[in-house]
Amino acid sequence: MPHQTECKVGFIGLGRMGAAMARNILKAGFPLTVYNRSAAKTQPFLDAGAAGAATPAAAAVGADVVVTSLMDDQSVLAAVEGGEGILEQLRPGAVHVGTTTISPRCAATLAALHRTHGSDYVAAPVVGRPDLAEAGRLTSFVAGDAGAIARAHPVCSAYSQAVIPVGSTPAVANSLKLAVNYIIYAVVDLMGQVYAFGEKSGIDPQHLGMVMQTMFGHPGLQEYAARIRDRRFDDVGFDLLGELKDVQLILDASTEVRAPVPFAGVVRDKLLTAVAQGLGAKDCSAVYEITRMNAGLK
Amino acid sequence: MPHQTECKVGFIGLGRMGAAMARNILKAGFPLTVYNRSAAKTQPFLDAGAAGAATPAAAAVGADVVVTSLMDDQSVLAAVEGGEGILEQLRPGAVHVGTTTISPRCAATLAALHRTHGSDYVAAPVVGRPDLAEAGRLTSFVAGDAGAIARAHPVCSAYSQAVIPVGSTPAVANSLKLAVNYIIYAVVDLMGQVYAFGEKSGIDPQHLGMVMQTMFGHPGLQEYAARIRDRRFDDVGFDLLGELKDVQLILDASTEVRAPVPFAGVVRDKLLTAVAQGLGAKDCSAVYEITRMNAGLK
Amino acid sequence: MPHQTECKVGFIGLGRMGAAMARNILKAGFPLTVYNRSAAKTQPFLDAGAAGAATPAAAAVGADVVVTSLMDDQSVLAAVEGGEGILEQLRPGAVHVGTTTISPRCAATLAALHRTHGSDYVAAPVVGRPDLAEAGRLTSFVAGDAGAIARAHPVCSAYSQAVIPVGSTPAVANSLKLAVNYIIYAVVDLMGQVYAFGEKSGIDPQHLGMVMQTMFGHPGLQEYAARIRDRRFDDVGFDLLGELKDVQLILDASTEVRAPVPFAGVVRDKLLTAVAQGLGAKDCSAVYEITRMNAGLK
Amino acid sequence: MPHQTECKVGFIGLGRMGAAMARNILKAGFPLTVYNRSAAKTQPFLDAGAAGAATPAAAAVGADVVVTSLMDDQSVLAAVEGGEGILEQLRPGAVHVGTTTISPRCAATLAALHRTHGSDYVAAPVVGRPDLAEAGRLTSFVAGDAGAIARAHPVCSAYSQAVIPVGSTPAVANSLKLAVNYIIYAVVDLMGQVYAFGEKSGIDPQHLGMVMQTMFGHPGLQEYAARIRDRRFDDVGFDLLGELKDVQLILDASTEVRAPVPFAGVVRDKLLTAVAQGLGAKDCSAVYEITRMNAGLK
């Protein structure tokens, strides 16, 4: 593994999550080349000492590690394949660190592409909202070749408080990430159901809040409980349309492996209603507004 | 409030939970009279210094506090009303502490009966499995007249680590208890869904266990996660038929207040299947066996 | 079996359905005694030649057949038991024809009460809305002792186009009636889902109407399809609160026999929302308004 | 429109449905060129006077109408695009008749491809099982340019008892077809739920069959009711894996247009279980076996 300042990093995708992660990589002292579809977002990075690239491929030239932080299966595949994709420029032994929440099936496809090319794919989906990304305190589940994971580790550590290896099959990290998201979305919906039931039953929200705090002590779940209690959905950590995409991914993955996840169907239908009612750009916890509507609460 | 040894307690219902609670009341030094439908269960209490009663009414004679730990709405009403019910014998200002998980509607009926009679009803449903009851570490949600709650407090404290007042309307404590149970049952089912999805996706159960531990840190939920992971359903804390009863109660209460709780319908259907498959007497976490069956797992 | 004009009939419950059925019994020439909780509704029957009764018991004096058309389990039991109930006055061999949609469990209770008393219980739930009752064109499922069914047959025929014997166990007729209602409510909800999906997909409602007509050719289902298409919910055949009661009955019956009916849970939750939104008194097909709301349709 | 014998037809895809449709086109006297991925299936057509083609493109050379009967979005797009796709060889004004159940989104893509090329796309999904295809009695929903529909009509009529125009936007015909399939799958599942509930409630299956017949009079639904009643799932009209694909399509389409179809999620989960239990190749009505399992029926 090269000394930190010698490990050259390419970074593809400077959205809210990606930009925060890339800033931490830069802060940690890695030589960094960034690419973003709309070039405007690269300027602050150039100002801070990073190099810019006109294509994903250009960001991969000479890189030891290339990190992608994109939208979905399609956008990741588009950044890898074809004349402008990173694969063409990736040297043998270079590592592609995929942080996007994509389907396990797509992760398997990416792993096969890299294997053929002689580079390595490390699935490294992250858990945490943008504020945690900014603080360098995400959790990364990493899966792939052990040597590749070791080479990617310092880079992932730049934006993660924990880098947890979960096996040698990349897709498994994505399955685990989907499981985590499924738990979050199901519990967030459940919290909303309980708050609406409580309000209509005359339960003091303070008492319900206390119960929730005891039962769902994890800070991430607590933050959602607070947003729901206060109906505070404009401070968008992760938007509702993003959740809908993720819920589709878990449903598709459950179809792949033939393992029903019945709460997901219920949540999906409520998300559709939320989007149909114009809440798509609100924080994902805003699904509670549909739960309220369903209970006849104003 | 009488000095502890002067507060005479009647106790109705010596099932697994009730017997453990009554033992703690006795240990705390309260003069105790016990009643149970099948008299055999009273013998150990008589041996330990309690008095026995042939009817609920007899257990209420001269009592300051009467605790009921029964099965359902019907059994509680039967122990209160009629010639053999406690109401007839309860003196003015005596407190009936109802610890059973009953419907909020039934709690309102009980409160009205006591108001008419001149006695007090304190709804005091408990959270915790039999081992916690044995250890005197249950959580009690209490609701009713403040003075009555104060008089009942020392008795509840004998078997509870926390006695939490949640208002002056008894039914609200029962609504809150149903909300707690709903969260438990929904999360337990969710855990099982995630374990089955994980197993079919090749996720190491250790990794899933770690994720669950982080997200559902509460000891009670952790215990369920462990039972599910190990498929250990014969050490019955609370049986599946009992859960089915509780899920019906939350569904009925949600009908009462017009607030849908859609995961409850999903859980109910799986519980029916579990009972139809002969799992009714297993621990309630055994609903996971149906989740496995649904995923084609042996 | 007495000649028609010699078969004396008591009739309990002159609601929309009951009044129409009783009118047909009177028209068919049976000597009729009517009882209704609010006496005002009996006047038109007295004017038409019927006798009036001050209690259910009084309507049963000397009757060969007593028909009940009431609200639910509780109201039927109340009309049967106690000092004012029909049982006390029913002579040996008299037949109680229960037309209300009650639980199979309650039907079994009624059958046992009559067996003990020496009278007969024929479960005879009816299918059809008030206009069919008025036209004497209901469908009756009858179950009970064969001789009792034979004695009740002419009376049931007065308001039914078909009287279908379905066995000797009364509760089975009620189970079958619940199955019919379950099909209706599930299909009505399904129709609404398809209309909303169609509207948002640009399908011409005419084409959808045609498809529905082909697939659900039965006049009763067609009438619902038309109400949904035209959003015509003020001409109330059967109201939404009544449907909610029925859906609870099918859910309870499915719990009794351990056979999940998962669409019923979905429909139940939408009915709760409909009632919470103030649609309880509309025609039951108005659940479509919730389906539209869920799709973001105005 | 060319005289029938002058309208040259290409046919892509000789599966169970496609072969039956192509046979009817041949019988009706159209000059026919067939293509199938595995060439073995073309031999009977060559013997009967059709020409064979080595690629979809070759089957399109000189054709007035090309009919595709394939598996899914991917297979249809693969037969249209690229060097071996029909588009390259289709002459201006030639019509592509797409009979596969594909997503409305894919239909829109196909329409755009043809518009650019100068040919026409007519969405023409068919309703009916293989035996109806064989008998030339399918129902075709056709949507697209009116002139193109007119040119395709004689070909569609060769295998259809009804060719129903449903507008000028091709995708709408596919949305309507998905709506029809959704109704079928939901009603088939509902029938199974009612049969299982009936069996456990002691209802005579004859009586239930009669009720079903009255309520779901359509021959197609009747056939499903009979298969369910007799548990006859080996005579495969349409297999369970095919239904799973279709249910995914309706779910995806409902996501597209933001209109929840909640029964579909329930059906999807049961289909996953059915496939996980090894029933994927059985007739789609075999989902009833899962309903039975859920009710504890052998």
Side-chain angles (χ1 to χ4, degrees), chain A residues 150-211:
Chain A
R151 293 197 296 284
H153 193 279
V155 178
C156 296
S157 295
Y159 54 75
S160 308
Q161 65 177 342
V163 179
I164 303 172
V166 296
S168 57
T169 309
V172 165
N174 294 92
S175 295
L176 184 55
K177 163 67 175 168
L178 291 184
V180 167
N181 281 19
Y182 177 44
I183 290 172
I184 292 172
Y185 300 140
V187 167
V188 165
D189 193 317
L190 178 62
M191 286 170 168
Q193 293 177 34
V194 170
Y195 265 112
F197 170 75
E199 185 167 334
K200 296 201 80 170
S201 300
I203 302 176
D204 183 333
Q206 298 279 88
H207 295 138
L208 216 41
M210 182 197 65
V211 163

Side-chain angles (χ1 to χ4, degrees), chain B residues 37 63 65 77 90 115 160 165 190 192 198 201 211 215 219 235 244 257-258 294:
Chain B
R37 208 168 41 168
V65 170
L77 286 170
L90 228 44
R115 201 177 308 118
S160 307
L190 178 62
S201 300
V211 163
M215 298 181 83
D235 170 18
L244 179 55
V257 300
R258 281 66 168 109
N294 287 343

Side-chain angles (χ1 to χ4, degrees), chain C residues 5-297:
Chain C
T5 52
E6 296 166 33
C7 173
K8 294 182 63 182
V9 179
F11 201 102
I12 316 287
L14 300 169
R16 282 185 76 185
M17 290 295 287
M21 291 156 72
R23 270 191 288 277
N24 280 300
I25 291 169
L26 201 55
K27 259 191 259 173
F30 293 97
L32 181 70
T33 304
V34 297
Y35 166 79
N36 192 66
R37 208 167 42 168
S38 75
K41 290 194 175 165
T42 61
Q43 195 55 51
F45 289 89
L46 306 188
D47 296 347
T55 61
V61 172
D64 299 291
V65 171
V66 176
V67 182
T68 49
S69 174
L70 294 158
M71 183 56 83
D72 51 22
D73 289 16
Q74 286 67 42
S75 55
V76 177
L77 286 170
V80 170
E81 297 179 300
E84 301 201 337
I86 62 171
L87 206 59
E88 195 130 309
Q89 297 298 334
L90 228 44
R91 62 190 191 200
V95 182
H96 173 196
V97 173
T99 69
T100 310
T101 298
I102 56 173
S103 67
R105 177 190 276 244
C106 180
T109 302
L110 289 166
L113 284 170
H114 282 285
R115 202 176 309 118
T116 304
H117 180 74
S119 47
D120 279 293
Y121 183 65
V122 171
V126 292
V127 179
R129 294 168 70 117
D131 55 337
L132 287 179
E134 206 62 59
R137 300 189 50 231
L138 296 171
T139 296
S140 292
F141 297 130
V142 293
D145 172 75
I149 290 178
R151 293 197 297 283
H153 193 281
V155 178
C156 297
S157 295
Y159 54 74
S160 307
Q161 65 179 342
V163 179
I164 303 171
V166 296
S168 58
T169 309
V172 165
N174 294 92
S175 295
L176 184 56
K177 163 67 175 167
L178 291 184
V180 167
N181 281 19
Y182 178 43
I183 290 172
I184 291 171
Y185 299 141
V187 167
V188 166
D189 193 317
L190 178 62
M191 286 171 168
Q193 293 177 33
V194 170
Y195 265 113
F197 170 75
E199 184 167 334
K200 296 202 80 170
S201 300
I203 303 175
D204 183 332
Q206 298 278 89
H207 295 137
L208 216 41
M210 181 197 67
V211 163
M212 298 272 186
Q213 193 155 11
T214 306
M215 298 181 84
F216 301 118
H218 189 270
L221 296 179
Q222 271 310 303
E223 169 62 16
Y224 281 117
R227 283 164 185 255
I228 289 169
R229 186 195 57 216
D230 306 340
R231 298 174 69 191
R232 184 164 37 86
F233 309 123
D234 288 327
D235 170 17
V236 180
F238 188 68
D239 72 18
L240 211 140
L241 273 167
E243 179 180 348
L244 179 55
K245 185 209 92 174
D246 280 5
V247 170
Q248 290 290 145
L249 283 181
I250 178 78
L251 284 166
D252 291 347
S254 95
T255 298
E256 275 304 299
V257 300
R258 280 70 167 106
V261 283
F263 293 175
V266 175
V267 173
R268 188 197 88 105
D269 284 350
K270 286 170 89 170
L271 291 176
L272 285 190
T273 297
V275 174
Q277 297 276 351
L279 301 172
K282 298 277 181 186
D283 188 72
C284 65
S285 48
V287 69
Y288 178 50
E289 292 295 300
I290 304 308
T291 302
R292 290 183 66 82
M293 184 177 84
N294 288 343
L297 288 166

Side-chain angles (χ1 to χ4, degrees), chain D residues 74-88:
Chain D
Q74 286 66 43
S75 56
V76 177
L77 286 170
V80 170
E81 297 179 301
E84 302 202 336
I86 62 171
L87 206 61
E88 195 130 308

Side-chain angles (χ1 to χ4, degrees), chain B residues 16-282:
Chain B
R16 281 185 76 185
M17 290 295 288
M21 291 157 73
R23 270 191 288 277
N24 280 300
I25 291 170
L26 200 56
K27 261 191 258 175
F30 293 97
L32 182 70
T33 304
V34 297
Y35 167 79
N36 192 66
R37 208 168 41 168
S38 75
K41 289 194 176 166
T42 60
Q43 194 55 50
F45 289 89
L46 305 188
D47 297 346
T55 62
V61 173
D64 300 291
V65 170
V66 176
V67 182
T68 48
S69 175
L70 294 158
M71 182 56 84
D72 51 21
D73 289 17
Q74 286 67 41
S75 55
V76 177
L77 286 170
V80 170
E81 297 178 300
E84 301 200 338
I86 62 171
L87 206 59
E88 195 130 308
Q89 296 297 335
L90 228 44
R91 60 190 194 204
V95 182
H96 173 195
V97 172
T99 69
T100 310
T101 298
I102 57 173
S103 69
R105 178 190 274 245
C106 180
T109 301
L110 290 166
L113 284 170
H114 282 285
R115 201 177 308 118
T116 303
H117 181 73
S119 47
D120 280 293
Y121 183 65
V122 171
V126 293
V127 179
R129 293 167 72 118
D131 54 338
L132 288 179
E134 206 62 58
R137 301 189 50 230
L138 296 171
T139 297
S140 291
F141 297 132
V142 293
D145 173 74
I149 289 178
R151 293 196 297 286
H153 194 279
V155 178
C156 295
S157 295
Y159 55 74
S160 307
Q161 65 178 343
V163 179
I164 303 171
V166 297
S168 57
T169 309
V172 165
N174 294 94
S175 294
L176 184 55
K177 162 68 176 168
L178 291 184
V180 167
N181 281 19
Y182 177 44
I183 290 173
I184 292 172
Y185 300 140
V187 167
V188 166
D189 192 316
L190 178 62
M191 287 170 168
Q193 292 178 34
V194 170
Y195 265 112
F197 171 76
E199 184 167 335
K200 296 201 78 168
S201 300
I203 302 176
D204 183 333
Q206 298 279 87
H207 295 137
L208 215 42
M210 181 198 66
V211 163
M212 298 271 185
Q213 192 156 12
T214 306
M215 298 181 83
F216 301 118
H218 190 270
L221 296 179
Q222 271 311 302
E223 168 62 16
Y224 281 116
R227 283 164 186 256
I228 289 168
R229 187 196 54 215
D230 307 339
R231 298 175 69 192
R232 185 163 38 87
F233 308 123
D234 288 327
D235 170 18
V236 180
F238 188 69
D239 72 19
L240 211 141
L241 272 168
E243 179 180 348
L244 179 55
K245 183 208 94 174
D246 280 5
V247 171
Q248 291 289 145
L249 282 180
I250 179 77
L251 284 166
D252 291 347
S254 95
T255 298
E256 275 304 296
V257 300
R258 281 66 168 109
V261 284
F263 293 174
V266 175
V267 173
R268 188 196 88 103
D269 284 349
K270 285 169 89 170
L271 292 176
L272 285 189
T273 297
V275 175
Q277 297 277 350
L279 300 172
K282 298 277 180 186

Side-chain angles (χ1 to χ4, degrees), chain A residues 94-112:
Chain A
V95 182
H96 174 195
V97 172
T99 70
T100 310
T101 298
I102 57 173
S103 69
R105 178 190 273 246
C106 180
T109 302
L110 289 166

